[in-house]
Amino acid sequence: MKFTPLALEGAYQIDIERRSDDRGYFARVFCQKEFHQVGIGQIWSQCNVSYNVSRGTLRGMHFQRPPRADAKLVRCVQGAAFDAIVDLRRGSTTFGEWISVILTAEKGEMIYVPHGFAHGFQTLMPNTELLYFHSDSYSPEHEGGLHHMDPDVGIDWPLEIKALSKRDSMLPPIREIVPIL
């Protein structure tokens, strides 16, 4: 695996290294030793799948508050998605800043989202599916979110939003969110 640090400290794009032949390919998507070598010591507690029928579906921006704040490892297993994260860490020099990566099933790249970040994505193709590993189990009493169109954050979503949950449409702006770590 190739770990590329992103502009927000602690976040990485992770590219798989395929071993291909006439049958297809084989690739490692997780190796605790390799993750530890770049300073990621997560133990994964939960794994979820998000399947999205329509192109332009937006999910996010979600996080969990301490003591249940979690890190995520996200991979697109079908289709393609514009994946965005926002730094919500107390005292961070990049508080409120965002970055994005394009995740595709074709390339198999992943994003590591550290504790203290909001995460969301928009599907770029119909029938897009993402696989998430979480460092802690879901806790409804610790869930939080950031409004996806907050002008103070300014995420530049690539497509018109075609599907969005009512819950996500009512999330607060960053000025109403206390830094979470």
Side-chain angles (χ1 to χ4, degrees), residues 105-125:
E106 181 181 345
K107 290 175 113 182
E109 62 275 89
M110 300 178 285
I111 185 170
Y112 173 74
V113 184
H115 296 84
F117 283 71
H119 171 262
F121 65 87
Q122 184 177 40
T123 59
L124 301 175
M125 298 174 67

Side-chain angles (χ1 to χ4, degrees), residues 1-17 28-29 34-35 38 40 72-76 81-85 99-114 117:
M1 289 175 284
K2 179 183 173 195
F3 293 79
T4 304
L6 297 173
L8 302 178
E9 184 180 347
Y12 288 88
Q13 179 173 323
I14 304 165
D15 294 293
I16 62 173
E17 296 174 334
R28 182 173 38 229
V29 296
E34 289 184 48
F35 273 66
V38 297
I40 302 172
K72 297 174 185 164
L73 180 63
V74 183
R75 182 171 190 253
C76 183
F82 173 92
D83 201 277
I85 62 175
I99 58 167
S100 66
V101 296
I102 303 295
L103 301 177
T104 66
E106 181 181 345
K107 290 175 113 182
E109 62 275 89
M110 300 178 285
I111 185 170
Y112 173 74
V113 184
F117 283 71

Side-chain angles (χ1 to χ4, degrees), residues 145-147 150-153 170-177:
L146 167 68
H147 198 277
D150 184 342
D152 291 333
V153 176
M170 297 178 4
L171 292 172
I174 198 166
R175 69 179 175 277
E176 295 177 20
I177 297 173

Side-chain angles (χ1 to χ4, degrees), residues 73-149:
L73 180 63
V74 183
R75 182 171 190 253
C76 183
V77 295
Q78 181 175 308
F82 173 92
D83 201 277
I85 62 175
V86 178
D87 187 349
L88 299 177
R89 298 173 295 178
R90 181 183 335 254
S92 171
T93 59
T94 56
F95 177 82
E97 293 182 22
W98 68 278
I99 58 167
S100 66
V101 296
I102 303 295
L103 301 177
T104 66
E106 181 181 345
K107 290 175 113 182
E109 62 275 89
M110 300 178 285
I111 185 170
Y112 173 74
V113 184
H115 296 84
F117 283 71
H119 171 262
F121 65 87
Q122 184 177 40
T123 59
L124 301 175
M125 298 174 67
N127 302 310
T128 291
E129 184 175 336
L130 279 80
L131 183 68
Y132 290 69
F133 286 86
H134 296 261
S135 65
D136 203 345
S137 300
Y138 172 67
S139 174
E141 58 271 16
H142 295 94
E143 73 178 356
L146 167 68
H147 198 277
H148 63 284
M149 294 298 288

Side-chain angles (χ1 to χ4, degrees), residues 156-177:
D156 187 17
W157 299 104
L159 302 174
E160 178 184 346
I161 297 169
K162 296 289 187 179
L164 179 72
S165 73
K166 182 175 182 177
R167 174 185 169 256
D168 287 355
S169 72
M170 297 178 4
L171 292 172
I174 198 166
R175 69 179 175 277
E176 295 177 20
I177 297 173

